[in-house]
Amino acid sequence: MEEGKASESASTATAHRFVHSLEPECNRIFYDPYAKHFLSRGYKFLLVNPFLRYVTARWYERLLPGIARCVYIRVRYIDDCLKECIDNGLEQLVVLGAGYDTRAYRFGELKDRVKVFEVDHPTTQVVKIEKVKNIFGYLPRHVEYVGVDFTKEEFKEKLIESGYDGKLRTIFIWEGVTYFMPEKDIDKTLSFVASNEGEGSSIVFDYVYTSALDSSCKKMIKVRHLMEKVGEPILFGIDEGQAESFLAKRGFYHIRDVKAQEYEITYLKCFRRRWGFMEVSPYWGFVYATVKSKDEA
């Protein structure tokens, strides 16, 4: 991410949530009433008008084939994992690289029951805090905003200083982040998550396959070049089919590794008919895993 500039990927992901939330209720797979508040005027101009929205979607699909649908599926998949954790007695939520994530506000069950920590770069977080104040008139008491420059600071220290309790049942949401990090930082993050002592603690994140980083992968060339231009190059991937072993070696179990394409039929039946020109990228995966307890380590 460029110094002094809020994350472009955070804005793009929010635009996707906004677009999908404009769909009729029978077509959409999630609803984010707050996404619109985080969009620039330029985004709103292109996306509010149905015709311009359609033209923009066609253009985006040609530029970055398969990405939009992956984002829709990703949001719903992570929402489902969070709901499952809430039903099982969740006590703490940590959103790593939070960007303009709105789950702390969309999920009413979290208020007065679950402490939420949003961890992100200070530049992006300053913008978000102002937007949240504009939406609600105040900052929700159950949310802690943990500003961290990941290139200079240890996020775990800042998280602990903000009141994070490693003994509570926690889910770590790591959405749209891993591919922008070097592997050493991936390992440091996973090591910290795996050290959580709360029974049933877990992590959910999305990732790209290592093959997507190869220069011979034509469908991902445009994606890589675009992200490099905005200062967020794609650096990390996991070999297809290897996420389970990758995480098992790092202290996780009950690992569910799925392809984005596997969930297209589950989630996008109606939406597929309306936006038939869209595809789902074959290079994206989602994984949910539980931290090993001491008895199982």
Side-chain angles (χ1 to χ4, degrees):
M1 191 175 79
E2 294 181 16
E3 190 69 28
K5 184 179 179 182
S7 170
E8 182 62 33
S9 61
S11 297
T12 303
T14 304
H16 284 308
R17 296 200 310 274
F18 172 67
V19 167
H20 191 69
S21 297
L22 291 173
E23 287 294 306
E25 187 174 356
C26 61
N27 283 357
R28 64 184 183 231
I29 58 175
F30 63 84
Y31 179 60
D32 186 347
Y34 303 114
K36 61 184 178 183
H37 298 285
F38 296 94
L39 294 180
S40 66
R41 289 183 180 179
Y43 268 120
K44 288 180 181 178
F45 175 77
L46 287 173
L47 301 177
V48 170
N49 181 283
F51 175 73
L52 290 179
R53 184 163 68 248
Y54 177 81
V55 171
T56 302
R58 294 293 301 231
W59 169 82
Y60 189 89
E61 187 65 18
R62 289 195 190 98
L63 181 67
L64 304 173
I67 303 302
R69 281 198 172 186
C70 277
V71 173
Y72 302 151
I73 295 169
R74 177 180 78 187
V75 172
R76 172 58 185 270
Y77 181 80
I78 295 176
D79 279 1
D80 286 350
C81 290
L82 177 55
K83 288 176 184 175
E84 180 182 332
C85 289
I86 291 172
D87 291 343
N88 289 330
L90 183 69
E91 298 172 293
Q92 195 167 242
L93 165 62
V94 179
V95 187
L96 298 170
Y100 303 135
D101 184 285
T102 61
R103 292 185 176 90
Y105 324 105
R106 288 196 287 124
F107 282 77
E109 309 97 306
L110 297 174
K111 186 178 180 181
D112 300 325
R113 174 179 167 186
V114 176
K115 190 68 176 179
V116 180
F117 297 88
E118 294 195 355
V119 184
D120 205 1
H121 193 281
T123 304
T124 301
Q125 199 161 74
V126 165
V127 176
K128 182 171 190 178
I129 288 172
E130 286 306 308
K131 298 289 187 181
V132 172
K133 286 180 180 177
N134 290 337
I135 294 170
F136 300 107
Y138 58 90
L139 292 178
R141 289 188 300 175
H142 70 293
V143 183
E144 287 288 336
Y145 300 93
V146 186
V148 180
D149 184 340
F150 293 94
T151 63
K152 302 174 183 177
E153 302 172 293
E154 290 289 337
F155 85 89
K156 61 182 181 181
E157 293 176 3
K158 286 292 193 77
L159 192 56
I160 293 170
E161 289 173 7
S162 298
Y164 162 83
D165 187 344
K167 295 183 179 180
L168 298 180
R169 182 185 288 255
T170 306
I171 182 172
F172 294 81
I173 292 177
W174 208 9
E175 181 179 11
V177 179
T178 62
Y179 16 93
F180 302 126
M181 298 175 66
E183 187 166 356
K184 63 181 181 62
D185 291 337
I186 295 287
D187 280 333
K188 283 170 61 177
T189 302
L190 290 175
S191 176
F192 174 72
V193 174
S195 70
N196 192 283
E197 297 179 28
E199 184 181 352
S201 291
S202 57
I203 186 170
V204 58
F205 63 89
D206 62 311
Y207 67 96
V208 297
Y209 299 142
T210 307
S211 57
L213 280 65
D214 195 294
S215 59
S216 64
C217 183
K218 294 181 179 179
K219 283 194 173 184
M220 288 295 293
I221 288 176
K222 290 181 180 179
V223 179
R224 294 199 307 273
H225 286 177
L226 180 62
M227 298 316 299
E228 286 172 6
K229 284 184 178 180
V230 299
E232 299 179 30
I234 296 177
L235 304 172
F236 173 78
I238 301 174
D239 290 341
E240 184 174 355
Q242 296 303 307
E244 184 171 353
S245 60
F246 179 85
L247 286 172
K249 292 175 183 176
R250 289 161 173 80
F252 297 88
Y253 78 129
H254 290 173
I255 301 161
R256 305 197 303 247
D257 179 31
V258 300
K259 297 180 180 180
Q261 287 180 314
E262 293 176 18
Y263 274 74
E264 181 182 20
I265 296 175
T266 304
Y267 289 147
L268 297 176
K269 290 180 181 178
C270 295
F271 195 69
R272 186 168 61 249
R273 291 195 296 270
R274 182 170 167 81
W275 298 85
F277 58 84
M278 286 184 176
E279 58 181 272
V280 176
S281 173
Y283 303 104
W284 249 265
F286 312 130
V287 64
Y288 173 86
T290 305
V291 175
K292 281 186 176 179
S293 67
K294 292 181 180 179
D295 293 337
E296 294 171 298

